[in-house]
Amino acid sequence: MFSKSTDQKNNSTIKTPPVLFDETQRIIAAIEDISGKKLLSYWTSHSGGVCQNDVIALYEILENLNGQDELVLFIKSQGGDVEAALRIVHLIRENYQNVTALIALECASAATMIALGANRIEMGPMAYLTAVDSSLRHSMSPIDNTNSRVSVSQDEVSRIINLWEETAQDHHANPYSELFKYVHPLVVGALDRSSSLSVKICQEILSYHIDDSELAERISHALNSNYPSHGYPITVKEAKSIGLNVHKMDFELNKLLLELNEHYSEMAQRAVTDRDEFNHHDNEILNIIEGRDIQIYYQNDKDWHYIQEERRWRTLNDDSSWRKIQNTNGEKKFSRLHMR
């Protein structure tokens, strides 16, 4: 359910998403009772993703948790910045010797990399990991029909080249001369570099708990090149087959995580206030990181204006920020985290 606030500047009422701190804290306490370990929850909406600023927010949470030998880490995300994933794993492993990743739903791409940093992965019946092969949105990427840059994946480029070579008897041109008509050479070069980066990051993350370098290399290459699509769902059976320490999740634990996800999803519902066909206000929560007695989330809070001549949206009056709720001696304190 939306709440509402008044936009004095535009003399209108705007929708604001609910913040369900009490509800999520109750579930976190129940999960910690079942697991006997501290819980760290890392959740992103489909509009959000793994990003560098998450590391700073995560540091705030870990400081509040005070560390123990063991941690359970709930991850739900469609992915994002792979280098941020490496920093997140490093930060967690600096504080905890033994980490169990809890996957109830999607844990894709860069989020899969975060899961690789856990000694043990527990997956529910709807859970999946994905391939981690490279895709990127470059400043020279192709433009779609909304005048926005699109992501290009290494797998897509490789398949084009392979298909070209398989049908070489039908033509004699260099495949790259044709490819470069649609994908800028700098994008192709960046993809090649990014692909090497993905393998390197996977190996480094796995080294936190796997001493067998050959096994770590085999898992890394499998996740980067063995699957027909970037979003290919890797479920429990497949995850075990490539060498990951994966187990089925306890029924009650999975049920609680799905309930926690439902509350986060309610917090992250689209909170868009339309003013006219060219202007609206966006108040959506994108990323949520939470532990016992503390929740930090990133909330969009800005106007959008459509520029017809350029066929693109422009932001105005941007008050988006990281926001923190902390329970101190039974009193909830609200503040903002300022980071650049």
Side-chain angles (χ1 to χ4, degrees), residues 40-50 73-79 102-108 111-112 114-115 128 257-258 260-262 264-265 268 286-288:
L40 173 63
S41 182
Y42 182 82
W43 190 97
T44 73
S45 75
H46 289 186
S47 301
V50 180
L73 172 64
F74 170 45
I75 310 170
K76 185 270 180 187
S77 175
Q78 287 193 317
L102 304 177
I103 316 299
L105 294 159
E106 72 266 26
C107 180
T112 291
I114 296 173
Y128 65 92
L257 290 173
L258 292 177
L260 183 60
N261 174 73
E262 186 175 348
Y264 287 153
S265 298
L286 305 182
N287 289 16
I288 305 170

Side-chain angles (χ1 to χ4, degrees), residues 124-140:
M126 292 192 291
Y128 65 92
L129 309 173
T130 71
V132 296
D133 56 295
S134 303
S135 64
L136 57 83
R137 184 178 290 106
H138 193 276
S139 59
M140 302 297 289

Side-chain angles (χ1 to χ4, degrees), residues 286-303:
L286 305 182
N287 289 16
I288 305 170
I289 307 174
E290 186 170 12
R292 180 71 77 94
D293 293 327
I294 184 170
Q295 181 185 87
I296 298 175
Y297 57 92
Y298 184 81
Q299 183 172 341
N300 271 342
D301 189 354
K302 55 190 172 185
D303 292 321

Side-chain angles (χ1 to χ4, degrees), residues 90 94 107 122 144 172 180 189 207-208 288 293 297 306 339:
H90 173 73
E94 282 286 296
C107 180
E122 296 186 9
D144 66 10
H172 302 286
F180 290 160
S207 71
Y208 280 100
I288 305 170
D293 293 327
Y297 57 92
Y306 186 68
M339 55 182 84

Side-chain angles (χ1 to χ4, degrees), residues 77-97:
S77 175
Q78 287 193 317
D81 187 333
V82 297
E83 291 170 317
L86 174 60
R87 293 182 64 203
I88 287 169
V89 171
H90 173 73
L91 185 58
I92 292 171
R93 298 304 306 224
E94 282 286 296
N95 288 271
Y96 293 92
Q97 292 296 314

